[in-house]
Amino acid sequence: LGFGIFLLMPFINKFGARKTTIAGCIVVAISYIICIIFRTSTVVAYAGTFIASFGMRAGVYLIKIFEQQAGDSIEYKHGFRPEGMMSTTIIIAVYTALSSPLQGLYETGLHAFGYNEFAASQPNAVLNWIVFIWYGVVVVEALTIIICLLFFDAEKNEETIKAALLERRKAAVLARGEEWISDEEKEQLEKAEAERIFEENRLADLKEKCEKKGLDFEAENAKYLEAKAAKEAERALKEAKAAAKATAKAEKKAAAKK
């Protein structure tokens, strides 16, 4: 699952997190249903689990996106965000209440269906129970997620909600008589401050180096600035090419729709 986010990004950008997760759950469900049908095949078990792992990536990585969208939606409708210590405590309490009675269910089922740890073979009911726990439960989980996401429409209104929340925060800041600074402006200010500190430290280090080695400070600094300018020009050229490519792709897509 480690590199799964890189595989997901193209699908998220094109189809959105909701549709990507639904597609992933469909892959999981189909893979494990095949494992259930061919339950005695080791090859199918390995292959089905491997393919299902690609579908599982969506659920593992995208749950945070849905939590953020749900938080925005609740704040938009009710004026508060379900975050912080109280929210975490409630989630843990509900999770514990649901999971605690089920933690021993697997072993309880094995013994209820006649499992014998000393026997060379087990009753068919025991084998069915093992197959259900390992594959069937995951299929039920995947189908449950699909059903939930069919009714989860926060992504559809995400841009509208974010714009409205931003305007509310801006109005609240201005109402307190404070200066409004957007997140983009804050990021630029922080970046500029970090660059200023870096430059001060660089010049101090360079002066110290030149004094120790008897070098010309102005000449050494000019070399650095020239190399930096060359790198920035190269990066700007790459960004311009990428932007032109993206624009051409968007125009082609728009023309195809027309």
Side-chain angles (χ1 to χ4, degrees):
L1 294 175
F3 64 93
I5 189 64
F6 300 104
L7 299 177
L8 285 175
M9 287 309 299
F11 296 100
I12 297 171
N13 293 333
K14 186 170 184 179
F15 302 108
R18 178 170 165 268
K19 289 182 179 179
T20 301
T21 304
I22 290 175
C25 289
I26 291 173
V27 170
V28 172
I30 292 175
S31 300
Y32 276 3
I33 287 173
I34 292 174
C35 288
I36 293 172
I37 295 173
F38 300 97
R39 50 186 262 179
T40 60
S41 171
T42 305
V43 174
V44 172
Y46 283 127
T49 304
F50 178 75
I51 295 172
S53 70
F54 287 91
M56 290 178 183
R57 288 185 175 96
V60 170
Y61 289 111
L62 302 187
I63 185 65
K64 291 298 179 183
I65 295 178
F66 299 134
E67 288 179 358
Q68 180 66 33
Q69 291 172 352
D72 289 342
S73 180
I74 291 172
E75 183 180 0
Y76 176 72
K77 293 178 180 177
H78 304 289
F80 71 93
R81 293 189 71 84
E83 297 176 342
M85 183 63 70
M86 179 60 72
S87 175
T88 303
T89 302
I90 293 173
I91 291 173
I92 292 174
V94 173
Y95 175 80
T96 304
L98 293 174
S99 63
S100 295
L102 300 176
Q103 288 180 359
L105 185 60
Y106 178 57
E107 290 80 5
T108 302
L110 287 178
H111 292 291
F113 290 118
Y115 176 75
N116 185 349
E117 59 184 304
F118 301 106
S121 61
Q122 301 296 332
N124 196 51
V126 171
L127 301 180
N128 288 337
W129 177 247
I130 294 174
V131 170
F132 172 73
I133 291 294
W134 284 99
Y135 297 124
V137 169
V138 182
V139 172
V140 172
E141 179 185 11
L143 295 177
T144 302
I145 293 173
I146 291 173
I147 294 171
C148 290
L149 289 180
L150 290 176
F151 296 95
F152 185 75
D153 61 350
E155 186 178 58
K156 189 186 302 181
N157 306 315
E158 183 179 10
E159 294 303 321
T160 301
I161 290 174
K162 281 187 175 181
L165 292 178
L166 183 63
E167 287 300 318
R168 289 183 192 176
R169 290 166 190 160
K170 181 178 179 180
V173 170
L174 295 176
R176 294 194 300 268
E178 301 174 1
E179 181 185 3
W180 166 256
I181 302 177
S182 66
D183 292 338
E184 292 78 10
E185 291 174 321
K186 286 181 182 178
E187 185 177 353
Q188 290 298 323
L189 291 173
E190 290 172 357
K191 182 179 179 181
E193 179 64 13
E195 290 176 351
R196 183 189 66 77
I197 295 173
F198 172 81
E199 185 65 12
E200 286 182 357
N201 292 335
R202 184 189 71 80
L203 291 173
D205 291 342
L206 183 59
K207 285 180 181 179
E208 184 179 352
K209 176 184 175 181
C210 291
E211 288 174 359
K212 285 182 179 180
K213 297 187 176 183
L215 301 173
D216 185 343
F217 171 78
E218 296 298 336
E220 294 298 318
N221 189 43
K223 289 179 184 178
Y224 171 83
L225 294 176
E226 287 176 7
K228 180 182 178 182
K231 288 182 179 180
E232 289 177 349
E234 183 180 356
R235 184 170 63 249
L237 181 60
K238 288 182 179 179
E239 290 175 353
K241 288 182 179 179
K245 186 177 180 180
T247 302
K249 186 177 180 180
E251 290 175 351
K252 185 178 179 180
K253 188 175 180 180
K257 284 184 178 180
K258 290 181 180 179

